[in-house]
Amino acid sequence: MESRDSPSYSSCIFFICLSTLPIFVSAIDPRPQAQLRFHRNGEFKILQVADMHYANGNKTRCQDVLPEQMASCSDLNTTAFLERLIRLESPDLIVFTGDNIFYYAGNATSMDAAFSPAVSSRIPWAAVLGTHDRPSTLSSEEMMKHIVTMNGSLSQLNPPGYTIDGFGNYNLEVGGVEGSSLHNKSVLNLYFLDSGGTSDVPSIPGYDWIKLSQQLWFKRTSDELEKAFRKEPEPQKESAPGLVYFHIPLPEYATVKSSNIVSVKQENVKSASMNSGFFTTMKERGDVKAVFTGHDHINDFCGNLMGIHLCYGGGFGYNGYGKEGWARRARVVLAALEQTDEGAWGAVSSIKT
Amino acid sequence: MESRDSPSYSSCIFFICLSTLPIFVSAIDPRPQAQLRFHRNGEFKILQVADMHYANGNKTRCQDVLPEQMASCSDLNTTAFLERLIRLESPDLIVFTGDNIFYYAGNATSMDAAFSPAVSSRIPWAAVLGTHDRPSTLSSEEMMKHIVTMNGSLSQLNPPGYTIDGFGNYNLEVGGVEGSSLHNKSVLNLYFLDSGGTSDVPSIPGYDWIKLSQQLWFKRTSDELEKAFRKEPEPQKESAPGLVYFHIPLPEYATVKSSNIVSVKQENVKSASMNSGFFTTMKERGDVKAVFTGHDHINDFCGNLMGIHLCYGGGFGYNGYGKEGWARRARVVLAALEQTDEGAWGAVSSIKT
């Protein structure tokens, strides 16, 4: 069975408006060229794939599909769905927000198979670990090290110079349009964090949380990126927008008013039982416009909480729980640059999903 | 009018039980002698004074006292109440948890008058800043610097070697009984933090919160104290218990089940609108047994949340809102050491309030 689900997109849309930028200034900057860059049409598209739950390929049966689909459904349908989405969307970056594989069957072979459509596409991709990526035959560190070395992967193990919790805390910069005044600046900042597995503090039940060490890294990185964005040449007035990707939703996801939610909430938010303050840290820094998690497969909403959009990817893989008749899905984010009357590209003016 | 209120004590009691300790081992340790120490009766008593709201002495009228008390009631009653409590309780340490003075009238003179009963008593004391201690004619830094230099004050401006938010983040160690095996170890750790005033992040309304920098200091300090407690001579099996003092209650105060509360909750918890994760950081470290705040004058409860007791001091000063007919009050904590059959003193075995 080829995937019968039509690709389904969550419909929430949000905008950020940034100030008009100076144009046509030739930038000479010693910083290394960004690996990611906005297109000449002023756009950058990110495909988020959450919870593939890939296990043993055609030996792994599907969950919560229609009865007539069940007999022939396996992990191969997850692969087919991903291939189709990549073909249809042609994203500039694919982000896997954890539970990429399914733990008891998980190993390097599962990972290779799970990410193979991204590798084959030659589109850059990045991944973080979820709760079901650990434990497997590999430790979390080995798992992340494997991901880092795969073809096309922009993932990183951890930031140099930091003692940090977890594996797979890193950031990626997206440069302005080639030849534009912001060619040598990161106009869109992507942060990736390891939100862990289950709590290893005996008196705290449930899922893990973003630790102090990770927040400190985020805060310093966000601060450094802002300083770089504000400095010569082409000094900007405020931070470039940031998007944050990790697996387990924050406790704040549960506090978004239903009137501020776009798309569906069909299950309780399964966050950590503790609030470790990462939402506050992001608010303090002020650059983050949206957070993208997975973990809860049949929630696919975006909710605006105090100006930060808290979004789910929606369950992607067929070997993960879902809802019969409710299609597996993914989230596409399209960032667009501001264009002057003279046709030159500046900073990010809108981010839609 | 002398204070007519009888000193009122909140009645919640909690215990911690620590393992039996080795005894009669002579300790030779190069660490400087702790300024605070358990008595030869194995006890250490702390008097918490919250929200004195001291302003202009006899010129400052009282709030929410009985009609017949109003005419003659002023800040001098706050002073008389404090003198009486100190005389009755003979604490080993007095802790002022902020709103020591009342901002619009606040200056060094107000502070000198507010703390004068502690200074006169020659009992060591420590203070943190609240919301009403700022702004005054002095900046928060000047205010805390003044407090640090007062007679009997063990307060400190900030820990050396840290870039930290606020003024008045420090810790105090309480040594074991003189001549006992734990003479040269801190058997009770006291942490003091500046919980700030109001938010200076424009998009976040309301009160301030314990920042990442402060949590990092707390975490490292708690970790270092544990290492010292576990090392030779007299290596202990776990951390010494910690008590934490600051002004604004944590958001978690509002989540304690009413069945876990001792004494009264008569108003909503006026915490920050954001959760910055300090409760989680304390749970991660594991040494903190109780937190003591002020800020909400007519709450005086202790509530057990996941093993950490979240306590209020109860409003102390007459120039602060209260409840007519509900006496101004303070909190007394009594820590007691474990005693072996041979009569030797060990580590802390109970903390009661």
PDB file of all heavy atoms in Angstrom, chain B residues 85-114:
ATOM      1  N   LEU B  85       9.054  39.877  70.058  1.00  0.00           N
ATOM      2  CA  LEU B  85       9.263  38.538  69.485  1.00  0.00           C
ATOM      3  C   LEU B  85      10.689  38.052  69.698  1.00  0.00           C
ATOM      4  O   LEU B  85      10.918  36.876  70.015  1.00  0.00           O
ATOM      5  CB  LEU B  85       8.978  38.567  67.983  1.00  0.00           C
ATOM      6  CG  LEU B  85       7.651  37.992  67.518  1.00  0.00           C
ATOM      7  CD1 LEU B  85       7.588  38.013  66.001  1.00  0.00           C
ATOM      8  CD2 LEU B  85       7.446  36.562  68.019  1.00  0.00           C
ATOM      9  N   ILE B  86      11.631  38.948  69.494  1.00  0.00           N
ATOM     10  CA  ILE B  86      13.043  38.577  69.679  1.00  0.00           C
ATOM     11  C   ILE B  86      13.278  38.165  71.132  1.00  0.00           C
ATOM     12  O   ILE B  86      13.938  37.166  71.416  1.00  0.00           O
ATOM     13  CB  ILE B  86      13.972  39.747  69.275  1.00  0.00           C
ATOM     14  CG1 ILE B  86      13.907  39.988  67.755  1.00  0.00           C
ATOM     15  CG2 ILE B  86      15.413  39.481  69.709  1.00  0.00           C
ATOM     16  CD1 ILE B  86      14.635  41.237  67.276  1.00  0.00           C
ATOM     17  N   ARG B  87      12.677  38.935  72.057  1.00  0.00           N
ATOM     18  CA  ARG B  87      12.831  38.651  73.486  1.00  0.00           C
ATOM     19  C   ARG B  87      12.211  37.289  73.822  1.00  0.00           C
ATOM     20  O   ARG B  87      12.804  36.472  74.523  1.00  0.00           O
ATOM     21  CB  ARG B  87      12.151  39.769  74.279  1.00  0.00           C
ATOM     22  CG  ARG B  87      12.656  39.959  75.690  1.00  0.00           C
ATOM     23  CD  ARG B  87      12.167  41.289  76.283  1.00  0.00           C
ATOM     24  NE  ARG B  87      10.739  41.461  76.251  1.00  0.00           N
ATOM     25  CZ  ARG B  87      10.109  42.480  75.611  1.00  0.00           C
ATOM     26  NH1 ARG B  87      10.796  43.402  74.969  1.00  0.00           N
ATOM     27  NH2 ARG B  87       8.795  42.576  75.624  1.00  0.00           N
ATOM     28  N   LEU B  88      11.030  37.050  73.276  1.00  0.00           N
ATOM     29  CA  LEU B  88      10.308  35.806  73.584  1.00  0.00           C
ATOM     30  C   LEU B  88      10.964  34.574  72.967  1.00  0.00           C
ATOM     31  O   LEU B  88      11.003  33.506  73.576  1.00  0.00           O
ATOM     32  CB  LEU B  88       8.864  35.886  73.061  1.00  0.00           C
ATOM     33  CG  LEU B  88       7.871  36.666  73.899  1.00  0.00           C
ATOM     34  CD1 LEU B  88       6.576  36.891  73.109  1.00  0.00           C
ATOM     35  CD2 LEU B  88       7.551  35.888  75.187  1.00  0.00           C
ATOM     36  N   GLU B  89      11.465  34.716  71.764  1.00  0.00           N
ATOM     37  CA  GLU B  89      11.947  33.542  71.023  1.00  0.00           C
ATOM     38  C   GLU B  89      13.448  33.310  71.125  1.00  0.00           C
ATOM     39  O   GLU B  89      13.906  32.185  70.921  1.00  0.00           O
ATOM     40  CB  GLU B  89      11.556  33.654  69.539  1.00  0.00           C
ATOM     41  CG  GLU B  89      10.070  33.469  69.284  1.00  0.00           C
ATOM     42  CD  GLU B  89       9.606  32.040  69.585  1.00  0.00           C
ATOM     43  OE1 GLU B  89      10.422  31.102  69.473  1.00  0.00           O
ATOM     44  OE2 GLU B  89       8.428  31.875  69.945  1.00  0.00           O
ATOM     45  N   SER B  90      14.206  34.369  71.378  1.00  0.00           N
ATOM     46  CA  SER B  90      15.672  34.260  71.372  1.00  0.00           C
ATOM     47  C   SER B  90      16.175  33.443  70.180  1.00  0.00           C
ATOM     48  O   SER B  90      16.794  32.381  70.361  1.00  0.00           O
ATOM     49  CB  SER B  90      16.173  33.607  72.670  1.00  0.00           C
ATOM     50  OG  SER B  90      16.036  34.506  73.729  1.00  0.00           O
ATOM     51  N   PRO B  91      15.869  33.886  68.958  1.00  0.00           N
ATOM     52  CA  PRO B  91      16.314  33.113  67.789  1.00  0.00           C
ATOM     53  C   PRO B  91      17.835  33.182  67.630  1.00  0.00           C
ATOM     54  O   PRO B  91      18.488  34.064  68.199  1.00  0.00           O
ATOM     55  CB  PRO B  91      15.618  33.803  66.621  1.00  0.00           C
ATOM     56  CG  PRO B  91      15.451  35.217  67.082  1.00  0.00           C
ATOM     57  CD  PRO B  91      15.212  35.143  68.562  1.00  0.00           C
ATOM     58  N   ASP B  92      18.365  32.257  66.858  1.00  0.00           N
ATOM     59  CA  ASP B  92      19.800  32.267  66.539  1.00  0.00           C
ATOM     60  C   ASP B  92      20.084  33.088  65.290  1.00  0.00           C
ATOM     61  O   ASP B  92      21.225  33.443  65.018  1.00  0.00           O
ATOM     62  CB  ASP B  92      20.295  30.835  66.343  1.00  0.00           C
ATOM     63  CG  ASP B  92      20.065  30.018  67.593  1.00  0.00           C
ATOM     64  OD1 ASP B  92      20.620  30.390  68.637  1.00  0.00           O
ATOM     65  OD2 ASP B  92      19.295  29.033  67.536  1.00  0.00           O
ATOM     66  N   LEU B  93      19.040  33.319  64.527  1.00  0.00           N
ATOM     67  CA  LEU B  93      19.169  34.117  63.302  1.00  0.00           C
ATOM     68  C   LEU B  93      17.802  34.735  63.011  1.00  0.00           C
ATOM     69  O   LEU B  93      16.772  34.075  63.168  1.00  0.00           O
ATOM     70  CB  LEU B  93      19.598  33.219  62.122  1.00  0.00           C
ATOM     71  CG  LEU B  93      19.700  33.904  60.754  1.00  0.00           C
ATOM     72  CD1 LEU B  93      20.893  34.858  60.703  1.00  0.00           C
ATOM     73  CD2 LEU B  93      19.816  32.854  59.634  1.00  0.00           C
ATOM     74  N   ILE B  94      17.825  35.991  62.603  1.00  0.00           N
ATOM     75  CA  ILE B  94      16.586  36.649  62.162  1.00  0.00           C
ATOM     76  C   ILE B  94      16.708  36.872  60.657  1.00  0.00           C
ATOM     77  O   ILE B  94      17.727  37.386  60.189  1.00  0.00           O
ATOM     78  CB  ILE B  94      16.382  38.000  62.869  1.00  0.00           C
ATOM     79  CG1 ILE B  94      16.466  37.822  64.384  1.00  0.00           C
ATOM     80  CG2 ILE B  94      15.042  38.621  62.469  1.00  0.00           C
ATOM     81  CD1 ILE B  94      16.681  39.135  65.145  1.00  0.00           C
ATOM     82  N   VAL B  95      15.695  36.446  59.910  1.00  0.00           N
ATOM     83  CA  VAL B  95      15.721  36.629  58.455  1.00  0.00           C
ATOM     84  C   VAL B  95      14.569  37.540  58.044  1.00  0.00           C
ATOM     85  O   VAL B  95      13.405  37.257  58.353  1.00  0.00           O
ATOM     86  CB  VAL B  95      15.605  35.278  57.714  1.00  0.00           C
ATOM     87  CG1 VAL B  95      15.577  35.514  56.204  1.00  0.00           C
ATOM     88  CG2 VAL B  95      16.759  34.358  58.075  1.00  0.00           C
ATOM     89  N   PHE B  96      14.907  38.604  57.357  1.00  0.00           N
ATOM     90  CA  PHE B  96      13.905  39.546  56.837  1.00  0.00           C
ATOM     91  C   PHE B  96      13.711  39.259  55.347  1.00  0.00           C
ATOM     92  O   PHE B  96      14.639  39.416  54.553  1.00  0.00           O
ATOM     93  CB  PHE B  96      14.379  40.982  57.044  1.00  0.00           C
ATOM     94  CG  PHE B  96      14.559  41.360  58.483  1.00  0.00           C
ATOM     95  CD1 PHE B  96      15.799  41.229  59.106  1.00  0.00           C
ATOM     96  CD2 PHE B  96      13.484  41.817  59.235  1.00  0.00           C
ATOM     97  CE1 PHE B  96      15.971  41.569  60.442  1.00  0.00           C
ATOM     98  CE2 PHE B  96      13.640  42.158  60.578  1.00  0.00           C
ATOM     99  CZ  PHE B  96      14.884  42.037  61.186  1.00  0.00           C
ATOM    100  N   THR B  97      12.496  38.835  54.987  1.00  0.00           N
ATOM    101  CA  THR B  97      12.279  38.384  53.599  1.00  0.00           C
ATOM    102  C   THR B  97      11.658  39.472  52.709  1.00  0.00           C
ATOM    103  O   THR B  97      10.799  39.185  51.876  1.00  0.00           O
ATOM    104  CB  THR B  97      11.414  37.103  53.565  1.00  0.00           C
ATOM    105  OG1 THR B  97      10.254  37.302  54.372  1.00  0.00           O
ATOM    106  CG2 THR B  97      12.189  35.918  54.056  1.00  0.00           C
ATOM    107  N   GLY B  98      12.145  40.691  52.856  1.00  0.00           N
ATOM    108  CA  GLY B  98      11.782  41.737  51.896  1.00  0.00           C
ATOM    109  C   GLY B  98      10.549  42.545  52.263  1.00  0.00           C
ATOM    110  O   GLY B  98       9.801  42.204  53.179  1.00  0.00           O
ATOM    111  N   ASP B  99      10.346  43.633  51.493  1.00  0.00           N
ATOM    112  CA  ASP B  99       9.395  44.676  51.869  1.00  0.00           C
ATOM    113  C   ASP B  99       9.693  45.096  53.301  1.00  0.00           C
ATOM    114  O   ASP B  99       8.783  45.311  54.108  1.00  0.00           O
ATOM    115  CB  ASP B  99       7.942  44.229  51.679  1.00  0.00           C
ATOM    116  CG  ASP B  99       7.554  44.210  50.200  1.00  0.00           C
ATOM    117  OD1 ASP B  99       8.452  44.343  49.346  1.00  0.00           O
ATOM    118  OD2 ASP B  99       6.358  44.086  49.904  1.00  0.00           O
ATOM    119  N   ASN B 100      10.967  45.226  53.558  1.00  0.00           N
ATOM    120  CA  ASN B 100      11.411  45.655  54.874  1.00  0.00           C
ATOM    121  C   ASN B 100      11.006  47.109  55.114  1.00  0.00           C
ATOM    122  O   ASN B 100      10.626  47.481  56.208  1.00  0.00           O
ATOM    123  CB  ASN B 100      12.940  45.509  54.956  1.00  0.00           C
ATOM    124  CG  ASN B 100      13.383  44.124  54.499  1.00  0.00           C
ATOM    125  OD1 ASN B 100      12.935  43.118  55.046  1.00  0.00           O
ATOM    126  ND2 ASN B 100      14.231  44.068  53.464  1.00  0.00           N
ATOM    127  N   ILE B 101      11.092  47.879  54.052  1.00  0.00           N
ATOM    128  CA  ILE B 101      10.642  49.278  54.146  1.00  0.00           C
ATOM    129  C   ILE B 101       9.584  49.509  53.077  1.00  0.00           C
ATOM    130  O   ILE B 101       9.324  48.639  52.239  1.00  0.00           O
ATOM    131  CB  ILE B 101      11.809  50.263  53.976  1.00  0.00           C
ATOM    132  CG1 ILE B 101      12.490  50.073  52.616  1.00  0.00           C
ATOM    133  CG2 ILE B 101      12.814  50.097  55.110  1.00  0.00           C
ATOM    134  CD1 ILE B 101      13.499  51.155  52.299  1.00  0.00           C
ATOM    135  N   PHE B 102       8.991  50.691  53.103  1.00  0.00           N
ATOM    136  CA  PHE B 102       7.899  50.998  52.177  1.00  0.00           C
ATOM    137  C   PHE B 102       8.392  52.041  51.195  1.00  0.00           C
ATOM    138  O   PHE B 102       8.783  53.139  51.577  1.00  0.00           O
ATOM    139  CB  PHE B 102       6.682  51.490  52.958  1.00  0.00           C
ATOM    140  CG  PHE B 102       5.435  51.468  52.149  1.00  0.00           C
ATOM    141  CD1 PHE B 102       5.008  50.291  51.528  1.00  0.00           C
ATOM    142  CD2 PHE B 102       4.685  52.615  51.988  1.00  0.00           C
ATOM    143  CE1 PHE B 102       3.857  50.272  50.771  1.00  0.00           C
ATOM    144  CE2 PHE B 102       3.523  52.589  51.229  1.00  0.00           C
ATOM    145  CZ  PHE B 102       3.107  51.420  50.619  1.00  0.00           C
ATOM    146  N   TYR B 103       8.328  51.743  49.918  1.00  0.00           N
ATOM    147  CA  TYR B 103       9.148  52.414  48.918  1.00  0.00           C
ATOM    148  C   TYR B 103       9.070  53.932  48.856  1.00  0.00           C
ATOM    149  O   TYR B 103      10.102  54.582  48.889  1.00  0.00           O
ATOM    150  CB  TYR B 103       8.907  51.820  47.534  1.00  0.00           C
ATOM    151  CG  TYR B 103       7.504  51.899  47.005  1.00  0.00           C
ATOM    152  CD1 TYR B 103       7.183  52.808  46.021  1.00  0.00           C
ATOM    153  CD2 TYR B 103       6.519  51.029  47.460  1.00  0.00           C
ATOM    154  CE1 TYR B 103       5.906  52.844  45.496  1.00  0.00           C
ATOM    155  CE2 TYR B 103       5.248  51.077  46.946  1.00  0.00           C
ATOM    156  CZ  TYR B 103       4.936  51.985  45.962  1.00  0.00           C
ATOM    157  OH  TYR B 103       3.695  52.036  45.461  1.00  0.00           O
ATOM    158  N   TYR B 104       7.902  54.512  48.801  1.00  0.00           N
ATOM    159  CA  TYR B 104       7.912  55.948  48.533  1.00  0.00           C
ATOM    160  C   TYR B 104       8.580  56.738  49.662  1.00  0.00           C
ATOM    161  O   TYR B 104       9.114  57.813  49.447  1.00  0.00           O
ATOM    162  CB  TYR B 104       6.521  56.499  48.207  1.00  0.00           C
ATOM    163  CG  TYR B 104       5.524  56.428  49.336  1.00  0.00           C
ATOM    164  CD1 TYR B 104       5.538  57.355  50.374  1.00  0.00           C
ATOM    165  CD2 TYR B 104       4.536  55.437  49.359  1.00  0.00           C
ATOM    166  CE1 TYR B 104       4.617  57.296  51.408  1.00  0.00           C
ATOM    167  CE2 TYR B 104       3.620  55.372  50.392  1.00  0.00           C
ATOM    168  CZ  TYR B 104       3.664  56.312  51.409  1.00  0.00           C
ATOM    169  OH  TYR B 104       2.760  56.238  52.423  1.00  0.00           O
ATOM    170  N   ALA B 105       8.534  56.142  50.875  1.00  0.00           N
ATOM    171  CA  ALA B 105       9.183  56.831  51.993  1.00  0.00           C
ATOM    172  C   ALA B 105      10.543  56.211  52.305  1.00  0.00           C
ATOM    173  O   ALA B 105      11.221  56.620  53.240  1.00  0.00           O
ATOM    174  CB  ALA B 105       8.304  56.736  53.233  1.00  0.00           C
ATOM    175  N   GLY B 106      10.938  55.216  51.514  1.00  0.00           N
ATOM    176  CA  GLY B 106      12.080  54.383  51.875  1.00  0.00           C
ATOM    177  C   GLY B 106      13.426  55.042  51.656  1.00  0.00           C
ATOM    178  O   GLY B 106      13.671  55.662  50.630  1.00  0.00           O
ATOM    179  N   ASN B 107      14.301  54.911  52.598  1.00  0.00           N
ATOM    180  CA  ASN B 107      15.675  55.382  52.476  1.00  0.00           C
ATOM    181  C   ASN B 107      16.500  54.712  53.582  1.00  0.00           C
ATOM    182  O   ASN B 107      16.007  53.841  54.297  1.00  0.00           O
ATOM    183  CB  ASN B 107      15.723  56.915  52.583  1.00  0.00           C
ATOM    184  CG  ASN B 107      14.980  57.401  53.818  1.00  0.00           C
ATOM    185  OD1 ASN B 107      15.067  56.772  54.869  1.00  0.00           O
ATOM    186  ND2 ASN B 107      14.250  58.494  53.682  1.00  0.00           N
ATOM    187  N   ALA B 108      17.742  55.121  53.718  1.00  0.00           N
ATOM    188  CA  ALA B 108      18.617  54.500  54.705  1.00  0.00           C
ATOM    189  C   ALA B 108      18.085  54.676  56.128  1.00  0.00           C
ATOM    190  O   ALA B 108      18.197  53.782  56.965  1.00  0.00           O
ATOM    191  CB  ALA B 108      20.016  55.081  54.582  1.00  0.00           C
ATOM    192  N   THR B 109      17.460  55.823  56.395  1.00  0.00           N
ATOM    193  CA  THR B 109      16.902  56.081  57.729  1.00  0.00           C
ATOM    194  C   THR B 109      15.791  55.078  58.058  1.00  0.00           C
ATOM    195  O   THR B 109      15.716  54.539  59.163  1.00  0.00           O
ATOM    196  CB  THR B 109      16.342  57.522  57.804  1.00  0.00           C
ATOM    197  OG1 THR B 109      17.343  58.407  57.321  1.00  0.00           O
ATOM    198  CG2 THR B 109      15.945  57.893  59.217  1.00  0.00           C
ATOM    199  N   SER B 110      14.919  54.848  57.079  1.00  0.00           N
ATOM    200  CA  SER B 110      13.853  53.856  57.281  1.00  0.00           C
ATOM    201  C   SER B 110      14.450  52.489  57.572  1.00  0.00           C
ATOM    202  O   SER B 110      13.990  51.766  58.464  1.00  0.00           O
ATOM    203  CB  SER B 110      12.986  53.727  56.029  1.00  0.00           C
ATOM    204  OG  SER B 110      12.365  54.929  55.718  1.00  0.00           O
ATOM    205  N   MET B 111      15.464  52.137  56.813  1.00  0.00           N
ATOM    206  CA  MET B 111      16.088  50.822  57.004  1.00  0.00           C
ATOM    207  C   MET B 111      16.715  50.716  58.382  1.00  0.00           C
ATOM    208  O   MET B 111      16.552  49.698  59.064  1.00  0.00           O
ATOM    209  CB  MET B 111      17.148  50.582  55.938  1.00  0.00           C
ATOM    210  CG  MET B 111      16.550  49.956  54.699  1.00  0.00           C
ATOM    211  SD  MET B 111      17.829  49.327  53.622  1.00  0.00           S
ATOM    212  CE  MET B 111      18.487  50.852  52.991  1.00  0.00           C
ATOM    213  N   ASP B 112      17.440  51.761  58.769  1.00  0.00           N
ATOM    214  CA  ASP B 112      18.083  51.736  60.086  1.00  0.00           C
ATOM    215  C   ASP B 112      17.044  51.530  61.182  1.00  0.00           C
ATOM    216  O   ASP B 112      17.248  50.753  62.117  1.00  0.00           O
ATOM    217  CB  ASP B 112      18.858  53.040  60.320  1.00  0.00           C
ATOM    218  CG  ASP B 112      20.083  53.134  59.417  1.00  0.00           C
ATOM    219  OD1 ASP B 112      20.465  52.089  58.845  1.00  0.00           O
ATOM    220  OD2 ASP B 112      20.623  54.235  59.262  1.00  0.00           O
ATOM    221  N   ALA B 113      15.923  52.227  61.041  1.00  0.00           N
ATOM    222  CA  ALA B 113      14.864  52.099  62.051  1.00  0.00           C
ATOM    223  C   ALA B 113      14.213  50.715  61.986  1.00  0.00           C
ATOM    224  O   ALA B 113      13.961  50.083  63.020  1.00  0.00           O
ATOM    225  CB  ALA B 113      13.826  53.192  61.835  1.00  0.00           C
ATOM    226  N   ALA B 114      13.967  50.240  60.768  1.00  0.00           N
ATOM    227  CA  ALA B 114      13.281  48.949  60.606  1.00  0.00           C
ATOM    228  C   ALA B 114      14.094  47.810  61.226  1.00  0.00           C
ATOM    229  O   ALA B 114      13.551  46.951  61.917  1.00  0.00           O
ATOM    230  CB  ALA B 114      13.034  48.677  59.123  1.00  0.00           C
TER     231      ALA B 114
END
